[in-house]
Amino acid sequence: MSVMDNEAPLHGSHRDNHTHRDVNGGWLRPAVFGAMDGLVSNLALMTGVAGGAVDRQTIVITGLAGLAAGAFSMAAGEYTSVASQRELVQAELDVERRELRKFPKDEMAELADLYVSRGVDPDLAREVAAQLSKDPEQALEIHAREELGVDPDDLPSPTVAAVSSFGSFALGALLPVLPYLLGATVLWPAVLVALLGLFACGALVSRVTARTWWYSGLRQLLLGGTAAALTYGLGTLFGATV
């Protein structure tokens, strides 16, 4: 008979709803950051150029060049960053694996001491540590979680991060260019589409955070709008003096 057999059954709503969203995946952060960065940076770039009173063709070329350069840069940066982080974790896991192989008793005692520090009875802590240390791979996983704060089986993928970042940046950067590609000859349609995109992205992000949709949307709209206004002003200033 298990311990749970002697306890009250789990509450239905708790059992059915006690699930958590994936907070360790390698796609969410680069995807969100890429879309926001694509929108803000390309909108700011285009408004800065437009402030210099250039023609429509120049603005379109600037927007497309900003899209391509930013997307490739983001993808390369994310791949390098995540790959470096993964390699560092793998190196630390190799160190822990060697320690478990060379000094198993010391590692087991270390694990027991950790449980004792968290309030577990010393005898029970030693028993639990001994049971968990019987399987070397399980012992490695537990030590990695407790000492490094990582799950060896759930490390972020550099490829996923790079692809997510590239696609989301390109999509975000395309929005301010799109009105011009469809025939617009003035700046305001591009600004309007980009600001609506910023609000929508912010609202969408709120689905995986604790913020309300309107707060997250308005925050992104305000930040992006401010960046666009400042660069437009600088473009106007430089256009008048160059």
Side-chain angles (χ1 to χ4, degrees), residues 6 29 46-47 63 68 123 142 152-153 163 172 179 188-189 214 216 229:
N6 296 324
R29 184 187 64 84
M46 291 173 62
T47 54
D123 291 336
I142 293 170
D153 297 324
V163 172
W188 71 263
W214 58 266
S216 185

Side-chain angles (χ1 to χ4, degrees), residues 149-170:
V150 298
D151 183 350
D153 297 324
D154 191 28
L155 298 180
S157 166
T159 301
V160 171
V163 172
S164 299
S165 181
F166 181 93
S168 59
F169 185 99

Side-chain angles (χ1 to χ4, degrees), residues 100-112:
L100 285 167
R101 185 174 61 252
K102 293 170 62 177
F103 309 106
K105 292 184 178 180
D106 292 343
E107 291 293 316
M108 185 172 65
E110 184 180 291
L111 190 60

Side-chain angles (χ1 to χ4, degrees), residues 127-169:
E127 182 179 349
V128 170
Q131 290 290 328
L132 295 176
S133 299
K134 288 182 178 180
D135 182 352
E137 287 304 313
Q138 178 177 255
L140 175 64
E141 179 180 341
I142 293 170
H143 279 272
R145 288 178 181 272
E146 298 293 349
E147 297 177 26
L148 302 177
V150 298
D151 183 350
D153 297 324
D154 191 28
L155 298 180
S157 166
T159 301
V160 171
V163 172
S164 299
S165 181
F166 181 93
S168 59
F169 185 99

Side-chain angles (χ1 to χ4, degrees), residues 51-232:
V54 299
D55 57 42
R56 171 182 175 274
Q57 184 180 11
T58 301
I59 296 175
V60 172
I61 292 174
T62 299
L64 293 176
L67 184 157
F72 283 113
S73 177
M74 285 286 293
E78 281 294 333
Y79 186 91
T80 302
S81 174
V82 175
S84 299
Q85 179 186 6
R86 187 184 180 96
E87 290 163 2
L88 175 60
V89 172
Q90 292 286 8
E92 291 301 312
L93 289 175
D94 288 340
V95 171
E96 192 63 36
R97 189 177 286 109
R98 288 195 299 270
E99 292 296 305
L100 285 167
R101 185 174 61 252
K102 293 170 62 177
F103 309 106
K105 292 184 178 180
D106 292 343
E107 291 293 316
M108 185 172 65
E110 184 180 291
L111 190 60
D113 290 341
L114 177 64
Y115 291 141
V116 169
S117 70
R118 295 185 176 179
V120 179
D121 178 80
D123 291 336
L124 179 59
R126 284 190 290 270
E127 182 179 349
V128 170
Q131 290 290 328
L132 295 176
S133 299
K134 288 182 178 180
D135 182 352
E137 287 304 313
Q138 178 177 255
L140 175 64
E141 179 180 341
I142 293 170
H143 279 272
R145 288 178 181 272
E146 298 293 349
E147 297 177 26
L148 302 177
V150 298
D151 183 350
D153 297 324
D154 191 28
L155 298 180
S157 166
T159 301
V160 171
V163 172
S164 299
S165 181
F166 181 93
S168 59
F169 185 99
L171 181 61
L174 178 63
L175 288 182
V177 187
L178 195 58
Y180 281 101
L181 295 177
L182 295 177
T185 57
V186 291
L187 182 61
W188 71 263
V191 173
L192 179 61
V193 169
L195 293 180
L196 289 174
L198 282 168
F199 183 85
C201 284
L204 184 62
V205 169
S206 71
R207 298 294 299 273
V208 291
T209 66
R211 294 292 187 181
T212 59
W213 64 270
W214 58 266
Y215 177 89
S216 185
L218 287 175
R219 178 176 60 184
Q220 296 303 327
L221 188 151
L222 178 62
L223 292 173
T226 301
L230 290 174
T231 52
Y232 182 84

